[in-house]
Amino acid sequence: MDALNYIFITNPLSKGLWSGMDTVAKSVGLKPRVTQMKTMATQVSQVSPLWKLAGKNLYIVRLAGLSGASAIVLGAYGAHRDWDDVMDPKKGEEARRNFETANRYHLFHTLALMSIPIVRRPALTASFFLLGMTMFSGTLYYRALTGDQRFRKLTPTGGICFILGWLSMMF
């Protein structure tokens, strides 16, 4: 939160912006609300960091870090891999699309995983998201990299787990 405090309040550009807004407000006969806004921004910047809010669910944030790192590594691999299949160019294009879909859902749900410590039932929501990442993204990654269709039927189940994970945040 110190970074937010610096970005919004204490860096030279922000200080100049705040004082300029004060001056403009005074010149047009308004009470400068900028000082109130600065006070609110200072209070917001003093909120506990996520790792403190996570409390006993810190392991979920750590899992999100691991998941995010793996999503980035896999995304880089997929972006630089040669997807042209010598035997059938259509299969290569389909594999690339499957890999990109898997990576996109993996990364989105990694970001969602970071917010889970603040929901009412974090273990349930995290379980659904992790199952979804494994069954949806994992099977798409596997299919794209090997061409093996064996686990294809698990992909929709993983999608349902994603949906259930999002819905579990409501209760």
Side-chain angles (χ1 to χ4, degrees):
M1 288 310 196
D2 290 336
L4 287 176
N5 188 30
Y6 178 76
I7 291 170
F8 292 113
I9 299 167
T10 60
N11 77 58
L13 183 62
S14 295
K15 282 182 181 178
L17 182 66
W18 289 118
S19 66
M21 289 172 66
D22 261 347
T23 306
V24 168
K26 287 177 186 174
S27 69
V28 295
L30 297 173
K31 280 185 173 178
R33 295 184 60 180
V34 174
T35 52
Q36 293 172 354
M37 290 168 47
K38 281 171 55 177
T39 304
M40 287 176 14
T42 303
Q43 289 171 349
V44 167
S45 70
Q46 292 172 352
V47 171
S48 295
L50 180 61
W51 61 268
K52 283 187 180 178
L53 292 174
K56 65 180 180 175
N57 297 310
L58 185 59
Y59 70 94
I60 296 173
V61 176
R62 289 182 176 151
L63 274 172
L66 179 63
S67 179
S70 66
I72 298 300
V73 167
L74 285 166
Y77 174 76
H80 297 287
R81 185 176 194 269
D82 184 17
W83 292 102
D84 294 331
D85 188 30
V86 178
M87 302 302 257
D88 188 3
K90 289 181 182 179
K91 285 185 179 180
E93 182 61 28
E94 180 186 348
R96 184 188 60 76
R97 278 194 317 270
N98 283 337
F99 194 91
E100 288 174 355
T101 300
N103 193 248
R104 183 174 50 251
Y105 277 79
H106 183 182
L107 195 55
F108 287 158
H109 287 87
T110 294
L111 294 173
L113 198 59
M114 286 177 29
S115 69
I116 288 178
I118 62 172
V119 301
R120 187 172 293 162
R121 293 185 177 90
L124 178 66
T125 305
S127 297
F128 279 132
F129 280 166
L130 291 170
L131 280 170
M133 281 189 243
T134 303
M135 290 195 297
F136 183 85
S137 297
T139 58
L140 284 177
Y141 282 139
Y142 179 78
R143 191 166 72 206
L145 294 173
T146 65
D148 186 357
Q149 304 282 327
R150 174 179 0 178
F151 301 113
R152 186 177 188 155
K153 291 183 179 183
L154 291 177
T155 307
T157 307
I160 290 169
C161 287
F162 281 149
I163 293 167
L164 291 173
W166 286 104
L167 290 174
S168 72
M169 290 178 144
M170 295 173 22
F171 305 105

